[in-house]
Amino acid sequence: MKNVLKALRTEFGWSQAVLGEKLDVSRQTINAIEAGRYDPSLPLAFKIANLFERQIEDIFDGSPDRGQDHCLDA
């Protein structure tokens, strides 16, 4: 899942470890979310959104990745 977590974290000047502490998860979890290797649970996504005072949709793009040459006119 694409997300802007790294950009938000950097904007706040937090390391992955600091963000992990604030969310009660490991630094490795933050790294995996930022890299798109791990989709957070809904409760964790809400915690992230609340921490940054944003909507979940502003942080995470849940749309399927269909590539660039898909057609919506089918």
Side-chain angles (χ1 to χ4, degrees):
M1 176 181 307
K2 296 177 186 174
N3 65 75
V4 296
L5 186 58
K6 183 176 182 178
L8 287 171
R9 177 180 58 76
T10 303
E11 181 181 316
F12 278 67
W14 296 337
S15 66
Q16 289 179 342
V18 168
L19 180 56
E21 288 174 17
K22 291 180 179 295
L23 297 171
D24 199 28
V25 298
S26 69
R27 179 201 60 78
Q28 291 86 349
T29 297
I30 299 302
N31 180 275
I33 293 170
E34 288 181 356
R37 294 188 313 267
Y38 175 74
D39 294 340
S41 66
L42 191 54
L44 179 55
F46 272 107
K47 284 175 75 171
I48 293 168
N50 288 333
L51 180 65
F52 289 108
E53 298 180 343
R54 306 282 169 91
Q55 297 292 315
I56 289 176
E57 297 86 3
D58 295 336
I59 301 173
F60 299 99
D61 178 6
S63 61
D65 184 17
R66 299 181 184 179
Q68 294 182 344
D69 45 333
H70 67 279
C71 180
L72 298 177
D73 298 317

